[in-house]
Amino acid sequence: MPPTIVGYMSREGEGLCEPDARDACEHWIDAFTARTQIAFRAILSMGAEISERVIVILYEESATEPWHYYMASPINLDLTALAPRGHSNVIDPSTRTCLQHVLNYVNTAGQVYTYLQGSSHAASKRSLRAAVWTTIASETNRQAFERSQASANALFAWACSVFIVLSAYLLRVLDLSAFGFRVKEVSAVGQQVDLIMRRMVYLIEQWRASYHTPKPAHGRRHNAQYAGFWNSVWVIAVDIILGCALGIFLIMCSQAVGDWIVLSLEQYTVTSLEDTILWLRGWPAGLKLNNGLDGFLAELFLWLIHFWTAMFQPVTQYMRVVVIFAGWSGFVGGCSMQLAIFSDAMALTTLHTYWFYMVATRIFHWQLVTLYSLFNLFRGRKHNVLRNRIDSCDYDLDQLLIGTILFTLLTYLFPTVLVYYATFAGRRVAVIMAQGLFEILLGILNHCPIFYIMLRLRDPRMFPGGVSYNVSSKHARRFIEAAWSMPGSPVRISRDPIPLSARNRLNTTIIQMEPAPLPLSALFFQYYQIWVQFSASYLSLGLLRSLVVGDVVRPVPRLQHTMIPGLSSPHEADNAESSPTFARDGVAHTSPEIEPVH
Amino acid sequence: QEYPDDYVDDTFLMELQKNANVRMYDYSTIVIQTTVITQHISSIMIFISVFINLYRGSLTGKTLVWCSSISTVLGFIFWDILNTYLRTPEQRIVRVTLIKGAMFFALLLFGLSPILRTLTDATSKDTIWAMTVIFFGVNLAFHDYSTGNLTNIRFPGSVSLNGAVLASVLLASQLNNNLSVFAFLSFALKWFALFPIFRRYLKRISDTASMATTMVLALMATALFMYINKAVALLHIFSSLFITFACPLWLIWVQRYKNEIHGPWDEARPIVHRYFH
């Protein structure tokens, strides 16, 4: 709707405005102000004065800070939640409410004010700048400087495009699935590299978008994007600082750290495992296991440990090199890269636990399934594969006999297998929990809302979180005094030529609308998402169930994917809508080789 | 209304019929039918005595294998003859399949006997005797005493077979060489799976043969146990006599308390016509 005039505010000594302007509008508000007081004289609707209660809502507004705007519902800082499918950043569910509709007008009022003021304001700024230039440098110098700046910018832009193309290839490589699993799902380092690439691409794109096109003064996403951009920068900076500190420590004490790692690895992964198996060999905790099977399994696993130790021995000599490598990588990738390297190293050195667990799980699961099926045999039932249910069935005599004997055998061997399975499953779960801990640490480092908190503390109005209403502020009182002291004729306005009608005094209630800032807990939305994902996969009942039944417990896929807006993780890429570039901002080119990841 | 509140009409419960479908039992019939239970108890006793003899060493595995194999072959011939008379051509089971199955089964058992021998090394003897008693009790309780199914073993019957095999595996693990284990287990399977079939066939054919079998089995059990434990043998005799002669009297005496009520309020029983070939 185009702006229309809805009233006239007269000063002390002025009269009312022209009647024809008044009659042309549907609604008309007559107000006047005298020194510090403002009052309503009349409010007309369709030409007739209304006699209902009028609620006046006051708000503060500053033209110099257009990023302070009002919103009816709290701003959503999570950029991926509002990732647009297409071009618009206007379609927002919050615009559908009536209050937001009104607040839109409130927010644009500043622009109208500036427009009405004319270009004198902007012109004054420009002339100031010109004055500065002429005092600092001569005309030619300025042109040369601007030319060199323009060429430097072009060079930088070209470098950025090359980087984006290369990173797209690297992302595609990381996304490759080999042997049935993706590199970045299995290895923490791969995921970290992936995250860094995506972050770089996002930052560069954002910077280019903001450089090439003027950003709207108060788009709803603008504040969130600005904060998100600078938060990424800050997180990277903090990461690298911490990484440098840790890296220096690691490089200087590499020998000692390497030796300590080798010692503790040997103790925790090999020696304690051997001791446990030897303990299981001879009636652990008084449980009477079948000697034959017990002996067989113990010998098997001890031999496998011996094999693993023999294989792994030469690697321990290079532990110092690994530590130094981790130290140097801290300078490049930050503390999170070091944590990722440690997590991967831990996963590699406990590989034998993983193998043992798989073996034990297979045996256990097979035994459970067979026992269940034989149990059904005795109840005279059978699993009907066609209908996927258990039906009654008549068995032959020999089937019954063989089934009985096998059932007896398996029942007696069951406790032994159960004990071994429980041991290895417990160890595997411990390793997975440790990896989860690393994941959480990585998540804390990678998505720390430093900048959000700083911004929120410095300028709470940057993140609008709704509005609150206050009845008794000092501005409201000004109104009230004026309204109450108007018994038909204005107080302290003596030269008003038009007398007011004595009968009505407008029944007004004045409320002050104040912006409510976003609560501090909303700034930690990324942590909350990580926590939700973590507890859903690690602390769920499904884990318990698969432990009991004998299903393989898979390590959880990485938690870090979905934080960067605009870039789809491979799981969502089937929709193929977000590409690594933000085409909607009108950025000049989209490289044809950059297509949606996977 | 013209009736008082506690009015009971004369036609109330006129259609009530008491004990309409009850048959009064005849003493001799019940006695003859009870012999099935006595047969089974005696067979369990014989089995236990065989085990005790094997355990003590007075019976060798070789002897047992030969005896059970010969009697199985005899029983198989008998069953074959009956098969041609009692069943229609479509229902006859092919002999070759049976023999093949039996061979395979014997091989399997022979292969598994070393494992089965050391299965319960760790369990103490008391546990084993107690569990054996429980399993034989299960076998006794769930046994299929009817003569309906000739070779099919339906659900409750399979539980009894399962209990018997579990008990015999437990007992077999107490023996000390593989041949004994194999002999004992094969004997157990024949005794608890094949012998009841023989008894059912016998009962179907003639009652006197069934009675004679009962006597033979009871005498054998008593005789075998005389050398082991006289008290148990006497207990066996007395319990058999009690079950066979005293319990039917008791049942008939208790029949007088039977009080069934039928009436038009019963559930309707659909009459299903079965067409037999």
Side-chain angles (χ1 to χ4, degrees):
Chain A
M1 235 168 70
T4 55
I5 300 183
V6 295
Y8 187 83
M9 180 179 291
S10 53
R11 302 246 182 94
E12 191 174 1
E14 290 176 1
L16 294 176
C17 83
E18 307 299 323
D20 50 355
R22 196 201 310 193
D23 296 330
C25 305
E26 273 183 28
H27 310 276
W28 189 258
I29 302 176
D30 256 339
F32 70 94
T33 167
R35 277 173 249 139
T36 56
Q37 292 193 330
I38 312 170
F40 286 113
R41 197 184 311 220
I43 297 183
L44 306 169
S45 175
M46 308 294 188
E49 286 191 9
I50 58 172
S51 53
E52 292 115 359
R53 167 174 287 274
V54 169
I55 297 181
V56 179
I57 300 184
L58 308 177
Y59 64 91
E60 271 185 32
E61 179 208 294
S62 56
T64 53
E65 295 165 330
W67 55 86
H68 288 172
Y69 55 90
Y70 289 91
M71 274 189 75
S73 50
I75 184 175
N76 193 352
L77 290 174
D78 189 3
L79 296 172
T80 57
L82 298 176
R85 288 141 199 263
H87 296 275
S88 63
N89 57 353
V90 175
I91 300 175
D92 231 345
S94 55
T95 53
R96 298 196 196 115
T97 63
C98 189
L99 179 60
Q100 187 56 43
H101 204 64
V102 169
L103 289 176
N104 287 345
Y105 286 121
V106 165
N107 290 331
T108 53
Q111 279 187 341
V112 173
Y113 175 75
T114 320
Y115 174 70
L116 286 179
Q117 288 282 328
S119 56
S120 58
H121 198 60
S124 65
K125 276 172 94 174
R126 238 184 283 129
S127 61
L128 183 63
R129 202 181 185 192
V132 166
W133 275 116
T134 47
T135 50
I136 289 184
S138 67
E139 193 70 16
T140 50
N141 270 357
R142 177 172 68 89
Q143 278 179 357
F145 184 74
E146 279 186 353
R147 226 180 297 126
S148 67
Q149 209 181 30
S151 61
N153 281 336
L155 189 66
F156 189 55
W158 182 82
C160 290
S161 331
V162 166
F163 177 75
I164 289 182
V165 169
L166 283 179
S167 69
Y169 277 122
L170 185 60
L171 283 177
R172 188 121 47 110
V173 162
L174 278 174
D175 224 4
L176 279 180
S177 27
F179 306 113
F181 53 89
R182 293 206 176 87
V183 172
K184 72 172 153 185
E185 275 180 20
V186 167
S187 138
V189 170
Q191 182 209 346
Q192 195 60 29
V193 169
D194 179 74
L195 193 68
I196 289 179
M197 287 289 131
R198 286 175 191 266
R199 202 170 237 153
M200 284 292 160
V201 167
Y202 164 69
L203 284 179
I204 289 178
E205 282 301 319
Q206 276 292 74
W207 179 78
R208 281 206 317 199
S210 65
Y211 190 72
H212 284 298
T213 62
K215 30 184 196 280
H218 61 280
R220 225 152 260 110
R221 283 176 66 90
H222 163 63
N223 280 5
Q225 272 177 350
Y226 169 80
F229 175 76
W230 284 106
N231 192 50
S232 301
V233 172
W234 270 84
V235 162
I236 292 178
V238 167
D239 215 4
I240 293 191
I241 290 175
L242 282 178
C244 292
L246 196 58
I248 290 178
F249 165 70
L250 281 179
I251 291 172
M252 288 185 24
C253 317
S254 59
Q255 186 65 39
V257 171
D259 286 342
W260 176 79
I261 287 181
V262 167
L263 265 178
S264 59
L265 267 184
E266 216 181 282
Q267 195 211 335
Y268 283 118
T269 60
V270 173
T271 312
S272 82
L273 196 58
E274 272 181 5
D275 286 342
T276 312
I277 292 182
L278 284 175
W279 178 61
L280 288 179
R281 176 66 185 85
W283 290 10
L287 283 173
K288 292 182 181 169
L289 305 180
N290 187 1
N291 277 335
L293 188 62
D294 199 5
F296 168 69
L297 284 177
E299 290 292 321
L300 173 71
F301 284 119
L302 280 175
W303 178 78
L304 279 176
I305 291 180
H306 184 70
F307 180 64
W308 164 261
T309 318
M311 207 174 67
F312 199 62
Q313 197 54 41
V315 179
T316 55
Q317 294 169 0
Y318 296 107
M319 193 54 72
R320 186 171 156 267
V321 175
V322 170
V323 172
I324 291 183
F325 172 69
W328 281 110
S329 72
F331 289 95
V332 172
C335 192
S336 48
M337 183 61 87
Q338 288 172 332
L339 277 180
I341 289 181
F342 283 140
S343 168
D344 270 348
M346 188 181 72
L348 273 178
T349 51
T350 54
L351 203 57
H352 62 302
T353 315
Y354 177 64
W355 287 337
F356 291 170
Y357 169 71
M358 293 298 284
V359 167
T361 304
R362 294 273 176 248
I363 298 178
F364 180 72
H365 185 65
W366 170 81
Q367 188 142 10
L368 265 188
V369 165
T370 315
L371 271 178
Y372 177 66
S373 149
L374 286 175
F375 183 67
N376 275 344
L377 179 92
F378 300 124
R379 288 164 53 214
R381 298 189 188 275
K382 199 170 173 186
H383 177 69
N384 189 352
V385 188
L386 212 52
R387 302 258 178 162
N388 203 20
R389 65 180 181 198
I390 313 245
D391 276 339
S392 58
C393 164
D394 281 337
Y395 287 100
D396 290 338
L397 188 63
D398 49 353
Q399 286 174 332
L400 219 50
L401 291 177
I402 296 181
T404 310
I405 292 191
L406 283 181
F407 183 74
T408 319
L409 205 59
L410 284 178
T411 309
Y412 277 103
L413 296 180
F414 187 66
T416 313
V417 171
L418 179 67
V419 162
Y420 274 93
Y421 170 71
T423 318
F424 292 124
R427 281 185 167 257
R428 176 79 186 135
V429 166
V431 168
I432 289 185
M433 288 296 165
Q435 277 187 329
L437 206 65
F438 268 114
E439 289 271 333
I440 287 195
L441 279 178
L442 274 178
I444 290 179
L445 263 185
N446 275 334
H447 304 288
C448 197
I450 300 176
F451 189 68
Y452 286 115
I453 295 176
M454 278 174 22
L455 204 55
R456 165 80 173 80
L457 289 177
R458 191 199 93 191
D459 191 4
R461 284 202 62 180
M462 189 76 171
F463 300 128
V467 292
S468 68
Y469 300 101
N470 189 0
V471 180
S472 60
S473 73
K474 57 177 169 51
H475 305 286
R477 250 183 239 120
R478 280 198 281 166
F479 266 81
I480 294 173
E481 285 172 10
W484 271 100
S485 57
M486 219 167 64
S489 65
V491 177
R492 299 183 198 150
I493 301 205
S494 50
R495 285 180 283 155
D496 188 77
I498 317 283
L500 291 171
S501 55
R503 58 176 170 88
N504 52 2
R505 188 179 67 202
L506 281 174
N507 207 357
T508 56
T509 308
I510 290 100
I511 301 179
Q512 169 93 16
M513 179 168 81
E514 282 154 12
L518 206 58
L520 273 176
S521 61
L523 301 175
F524 293 93
F525 64 96
Q526 285 174 336
Y527 282 179
Y528 176 69
Q529 278 177 347
I530 290 182
W531 171 252
V532 162
Q533 274 185 325
F534 178 79
S535 62
S537 28
Y538 278 84
L539 306 176
S540 65
L541 274 180
L543 187 73
L544 212 59
R545 188 197 143 270
S546 36
L547 272 182
V548 167
V549 168
D551 278 339
V552 175
V553 169
R554 306 231 167 256
V556 178
R558 308 288 165 171
L559 305 173
Q560 322 274 342
H561 269 306
T562 56
M563 303 301 174
I564 305 293
L567 303 175
S568 61
S569 61
H571 309 290
E572 310 161 1
D574 296 326
N575 306 336
E577 54 222 43
S578 313
S579 61
T581 64
F582 299 104
R584 57 183 163 80
D585 279 340
V587 174
H589 88 284
T590 306
S591 161
E593 292 112 308
I594 299 177
E595 40 189 76
V597 180
H598 181 58
Chain B
Q1 65 188 33
E2 57 251 28
Y3 300 104
D5 278 337
D6 55 350
Y7 176 72
V8 176
D9 197 43
D10 291 333
T11 59
F12 183 61
L13 289 183
M14 204 169 63
E15 300 178 43
L16 177 75
Q17 292 168 335
K18 281 205 178 182
N19 293 341
N21 299 333
V22 171
R23 294 173 304 161
M24 297 310 289
Y25 290 133
D26 181 26
Y27 181 69
S28 48
T29 328
I30 300 185
V31 167
I32 294 176
Q33 300 297 329
T34 321
T35 55
V36 188
I37 302 180
T38 331
Q39 271 181 9
H40 197 66
I41 296 179
S42 306
S43 77
I44 293 182
M45 301 292 281
I46 294 177
F47 183 73
I48 293 179
S49 67
V50 163
F51 167 70
I52 293 178
N53 280 326
L54 206 57
Y55 187 63
R56 285 186 182 175
S58 34
L59 183 65
T60 54
K62 214 159 84 159
T63 327
L64 188 57
V65 166
W66 277 111
C67 288
S68 56
S69 306
I70 290 175
S71 36
T72 311
V73 167
L74 286 175
F76 178 64
I77 295 176
F78 173 72
W79 177 82
D80 202 27
I81 297 173
L82 279 185
N83 225 8
T84 47
Y85 285 131
L86 277 186
R87 288 194 176 191
T88 61
E90 296 97 32
Q91 288 174 327
R92 286 185 208 149
I93 305 172
V94 184
R95 271 182 232 131
V96 182
T97 337
L98 281 178
I99 297 180
K100 261 199 320 193
M103 284 289 120
F104 166 71
F105 203 72
L107 273 175
L108 180 72
L109 214 51
F110 194 65
L112 282 181
S113 30
I115 304 181
L116 291 171
R117 183 168 63 90
T118 56
L119 206 55
T120 57
D121 262 351
T123 324
S124 77
K125 288 207 177 353
D126 295 335
T127 322
I128 294 191
W129 305 144
M131 282 173 71
T132 311
V133 166
I134 293 178
F135 284 134
F136 276 131
V138 164
N139 181 34
L140 200 60
F142 286 97
H143 189 251
D144 190 10
Y145 293 110
S146 70
T147 50
N149 299 329
L150 283 177
T151 42
N152 248 355
I153 301 190
R154 291 282 173 84
F155 161 52
S158 67
V159 173
S160 90
L161 181 62
N162 190 15
V165 171
L166 279 172
S168 53
V169 165
L170 274 175
L171 287 178
S173 62
Q174 299 293 308
L175 301 169
N176 46 14
N177 63 326
N178 288 344
L179 185 61
S180 309
V181 171
F182 170 66
F184 186 65
L185 276 178
S186 59
F187 171 68
L189 283 173
K190 289 164 190 157
W191 192 251
F192 284 113
L194 301 179
F195 191 46
I197 299 178
F198 174 77
R199 300 206 303 257
R200 270 186 224 124
Y201 267 98
L202 211 57
K203 191 147 191 343
R204 248 219 202 162
I205 295 175
S206 78
D207 275 339
T208 35
S210 176
M211 286 284 297
T213 326
T214 316
M215 300 262 230
V216 164
L217 282 176
L219 285 172
M220 259 178 71
T222 318
L224 282 172
F225 254 100
M226 276 295 181
Y227 295 108
I228 299 174
N229 195 346
K230 292 199 172 48
V232 174
L234 284 175
L235 189 64
H236 169 71
I237 293 181
F238 281 133
S239 63
S240 300
L241 288 175
F242 178 72
I243 290 177
T244 313
F245 294 109
C247 287
L249 278 176
W250 199 354
L251 180 67
I252 293 176
W253 182 75
V254 162
Q255 281 277 63
R256 69 174 73 183
Y257 294 116
K258 201 163 179 101
N259 191 7
E260 277 183 9
I261 297 180
H262 292 287
W265 52 82
D266 281 339
E267 283 175 6
R269 282 173 142 214
I271 302 177
V272 177
H273 290 285
R274 294 162 185 258
Y275 294 96
F276 287 107
H277 291 293

